[in-house]
Every structure is written in C-alpha cells, then in structure tokens.
Amino acid sequence: MKTIDTVVIGAGQAGLATSRYLTAEGRDHVVLDRGRVAESWRSARWDSLRLLTPNWMTRLPGWSYAGSEPDGFMTAAELTGYLSCYATSFGAPVLEHTPVTDVSPMAHGYRVTTLRGSWFARNVVLASGPARTVPTLSRRLPSDLHQLHTSKYRRPAQLPDGGVLVVGASASGAQIASELRRAGRRVVLAVGSHTSLPRRYRGMDIMWWLEQSGVLGRTIAEMPDPRAARTQPSLQLRGGTSGEDLNLAALADLGVEMTGRLIAADGSTVYFADDLAPTIAAAEARTRRTLDIIDRYAESAGLAAEVLPAVPERVLNVHEGPRKLAPRAAGITTVVWATGFRHSYPWLRVPVFDREGHVLQYRGITAAPGLYVVGERFLHRRDSSFIDGVRYDARTITDHIRMSSRAQRATRRAETVLEGAHV
Ligand SMILES: Cc1cc2nc3c(=O)[nH]c(=O)nc-3n(C[C@H](O)[C@H](O)[C@H](O)COP(=O)(O)OP(=O)(O)OC[C@H]3O[C@@H](n4cnc5c(N)ncnc54)[C@H](O)[C@@H]3O)c2cc1C
C-alpha cells in the first residue's frame, strides 16, 4: 500500500480545481479517475450539447477562458479540451483508468482501494461527480420500450424509429425534447418541477445578471429550505449563439406534447398526474421572483437606464396532453429519462451519511477528520456545482487540509515533549 498525504477522487472540474490548490501548496497528492480527465464530458453528454454558462464563466483556480468568444458557449468536446489543458498546465498528478472501489477509515487516515492498487491517505477529497438517477417506476414500463437516461443519449438517429416519451423538463429534458421534435419525432414531454429563465434579459445574458445580482453567490445558510434548494432542478435554458429561449412555450410551438409527471405504469400503459397547470404556475412564479431580484439589482446599481427595459415574460397556455398513454398503440418506442443526477458514494465506508444518503458536511468539510467533499449541488454556494463556482469550495477545503496538518504536527510535537518530560 502506497502512502500519500491526500487522495482526490475524480478528475472533473471539482477534482482538478482542488488539485490546483494542493499543487500550489506543494502538497503530496494524487487524483484518481475511473476514466480520463473530464470523463463525464467525454462519455455522458449528447453530441449537440453546449454549455449553459458562457465561456467567460469557466474560471478555475489559476485558469480562465482566453479565446476570442467570451460570450460563446463551449461544446462538451471543447470543455473536455479546456479541462485537459488545465490539468496539463500545472501537471496535475492524475492517474487515469483507476476506479476507486473502497474508502475505509484507518488510524490517522483512510485506505483507498482501487482496481490498480491501494493508498493510505491522511486526507481524501470526494470529487466523483453526480450519478444518473432513474426512478424505480422504469421497471414497470412496457418491456418492449427502449429506455435510456440522458447521460446515454447522443443523437436522435441513435434511437429506434418512432415517438419518444421524455420524462423531465429541466435543462436536459427540454433540450433533448426540442432536438427530437426538430428531427421529426413525435415527442411527449412529462413535465415535473422545473425553473425557466430567458437566455437574455434586458439585453444581457442571464448568467451575467445572476452573477452580478448575487444570486449565484447566495449560500445555503441563506436559503429558507436548504433541502429544497439542493434538489432544485437545473434551468430550462439553451446555450447557443442565437440567444433563443428554450422554455415550454418554445417547445409547444415546435409541437412537443406536454403532460404532467409520470406517476404510474402497469406493463402496457403509463399514467401521468393531472398537475401540468400548477407545475407551470409554480415555475412561472419562480421565474418572476428571480427576474424581480434582477430588476431590483439593476435599479440599486444604477443600471436601469443603461440596460433594456423589462419586457413581461410570455405567459404559457399549454394544451394539456394525454393523462394516460399506451406507448405501443401511440407509436412511442423510446423513453428518455431526463430525471437528473444525484451524488452517491457506494464505495465510501465512512459513517458520514444522513438518512437519505447525502454526505453531511459544512462547506465541504465532513465530521470525519480528513474527509472532504466538493462539487455537490449547493454544497455552500448556489454555484458550488458549476464550473465557475467550484473554486470557492476547493479553496476552503485546501485551507482546512493545511490548517489541520499544522494542528496535527503541533499535537505530535506536544506529545513528544510530554513523553520526554515523563522519562
Ligand atoms: C448535461 C449537463 C450539462 C451541464 N452544463 C453545465 C454548464 O453549462 N455550466 C456549468 O457550470 N455546469 C454545468 N453542468 C453541471 C456540472 O458542471 C457538471 O455536472 C460537472 O460535470 C460536475 O463536475 P464534477 O467535477 O463535480 O463531476 P464530474 O465532471 O462528473 O467529474 C467526476 C469524475 O469522477 C470520476 N469518478 C466517478 N466515480 C469514480 C470512482 N469510483 N473512482 C474514480 N473516479 C471516479 C468520473 O469518471 C469523473 O471524471 C452540467 C451538468 C450536466 C449533467
């Protein structure tokens, strides 16, 4: 077993940002990834995906976008290149193709077991990213339906001929529904809780407003319901050069049929809740609240005269789609689960989980000495899981590792002094 100060698990943006700070401090560490650097962007994104955040909003510790299109939106392949160059820029000690299979506590540290050997590490940073979630209901769907999660979706031609039921209308579901409809497919979209914002507002990109107005920097402690804040779905938004919106109104214009949440299936028929109208009303109220924050910020910052005037958002009048559907009879051959992601650590044998399986932490620091987590949704700030926001938590964790090491060294010295005094 090799001995090292810190093991970072995962070489996505969260693991690399942490590694960048550890490198700057000269801390002996290794970054283990089951695949390659930026593996999620290589193998779990669809072909046409563009980031929702503009290029200028990809600031990592010691690294930022230097290209000619700061207001453009990277493809997944471009982001893979961006993160790979980042890792190379500081010689990140990444060991690729090294899946972690077990992390267990030992005296003064952890044993990290991989398919390519074990490490004893004083500190372990969990940066393994979110895993896809598919509801158990998927097992009760007609057996002849082709089912896949968005992380396995690449392009319309990959799916069997016929219509598609897309379950979930957040960023991924809305984008994939739009792409499939444009490719001539019948698309039924089961709409769950979502948040929609215009791509551009008052003449500026929405992400600029969210940053400037402080929305992205709000911390979990400021949230009235932290649990709800952490499970809030991603924004219905499209990243692209055209600045067009991607919301339910745009999808309705394309001919996407919308219905409520998928709630049951009996082997031949699937059933939807009668909740489309209240779901849309709740989403519109959330949109309005966020735009009000932006308007208030524009006023208080004296920007109101410089930006465009506020134009009321288009009110959505969606025709309620089917309440139940026999997929075969309706020509639906595929279900795309756009049901999101959730962090899970099945290989972590340290008792730091709450009853729902979330790692209990404060600013990425767990109660288990030397065990940290980074990259989770709303870990501390609203943008904790964003490329641009992970640096704050990576900094906090690295500071904590440094201070803990100093404290441990001081304790060991004190123990030595005491032992000497007793001799
Ligand atoms: C479709 C989609 C679009 C998104 N668009 C944006 C956007 O536009 N802007 C933005 O800021 N954010 C966006 N995000 C959110 C976020 O930036 C990504 O989820 C990002 O990939 C999270 O980075 P991460 O480093 O936390 O995790 P990941 O990128 O998932 O990296 C985790 C790494 O850990 C490795 N790993 C996992 N398990 C193990 C193991 N057991 N052993 C070893 N290695 C392991 C994986 O191979 C992976 O490389 C998007 C997310 C999704 C899903």
Side-chain angles (χ1 to χ4, degrees), residues 247 321 350 364:
N247 51 27
V350 187

Side-chain angles (χ1 to χ4, degrees), residues 56-181:
W56 61 264
M57 215 177 179
T58 48
R59 292 162 294 197
L60 289 158
W63 194 250
S64 58
Y65 178 80
S68 57
E69 289 182 54
D71 297 323
F73 299 87
M74 286 187 214
T75 62
E78 285 166 347
L79 183 66
T80 302
Y82 183 79
L83 292 176
S84 301
C85 290
Y86 180 48
T88 308
S89 73
F90 62 92
V94 180
L95 272 188
E96 297 185 325
H97 307 295
T98 310
V100 171
T101 54
D102 187 281
V103 175
S104 295
M106 289 178 73
H108 310 298
Y110 299 91
R111 186 185 59 232
V112 179
T113 309
T114 77
L115 294 183
R116 296 176 61 195
S118 302
W119 278 260
F120 169 77
R122 253 182 296 280
N123 307 296
V124 172
V125 181
L126 311 173
S128 50
R132 58 176 171 265
T133 56
V134 174
T136 51
L137 176 64
S138 61
R139 294 189 212 127
R140 295 200 294 279
L141 259 52
S143 56
D144 54 351
L145 274 181
H146 179 62
Q147 299 187 38
L148 73 166
H149 184 266
T150 52
S151 57
K152 298 281 179 196
Y153 172 79
R154 295 292 169 270
R155 65 196 77 89
Q158 158 206 15
L159 306 183
D161 288 342
V164 184
L165 168 62
V166 178
V167 183
S170 292
S172 303
Q175 288 178 44
I176 290 170
S178 164
E179 173 163 285
L180 289 167
R181 185 68 199 128

Side-chain angles (χ1 to χ4, degrees), residues 276-299:
L276 183 61
T279 300
I280 291 174
E284 284 176 345
R286 274 196 292 276
T287 305
R288 194 57 262 160
R289 278 199 296 275
T290 306
L291 298 183
D292 284 348
I293 292 173
I294 291 174
D295 289 341
R296 281 199 299 275
Y297 163 74
E299 278 299 329

Side-chain angles (χ1 to χ4, degrees), residues 4-87:
I4 199 159
D5 183 78
T6 302
V7 165
V8 179
I9 304 173
Q13 73 220 16
L16 293 175
T18 309
S19 175
R20 174 67 175 74
Y21 282 131
L22 293 172
T23 302
E25 296 197 358
R27 193 162 283 280
D28 180 28
H29 72 286
V30 65
V31 184
L32 306 175
D33 201 288
R34 65 179 167 199
R36 298 174 61 195
V37 165
E39 185 58 40
S40 302
W41 298 98
R42 293 175 196 271
S43 58
R45 307 285 188 259
W46 60 95
D47 295 351
S48 66
L49 177 139
R50 281 189 181 267
L51 292 189
L52 298 181
T53 43
N55 293 339
W56 61 264
M57 215 177 179
T58 48
R59 292 162 294 197
L60 289 158
W63 194 250
S64 58
Y65 178 80
S68 57
E69 289 182 54
D71 297 323
F73 299 87
M74 286 187 214
T75 62
E78 285 166 347
L79 183 66
T80 302
Y82 183 79
L83 292 176
S84 301
C85 290
Y86 180 48

Side-chain angles (χ1 to χ4, degrees), residues 255-276:
V256 171
E257 297 160 59
M258 269 164 259
T259 185
R261 273 176 314 118
L262 179 64
I263 46 170
D266 65 8
S268 63
T269 307
V270 294
Y271 301 87
F272 303 100
D274 183 18
D275 63 358
L276 183 61

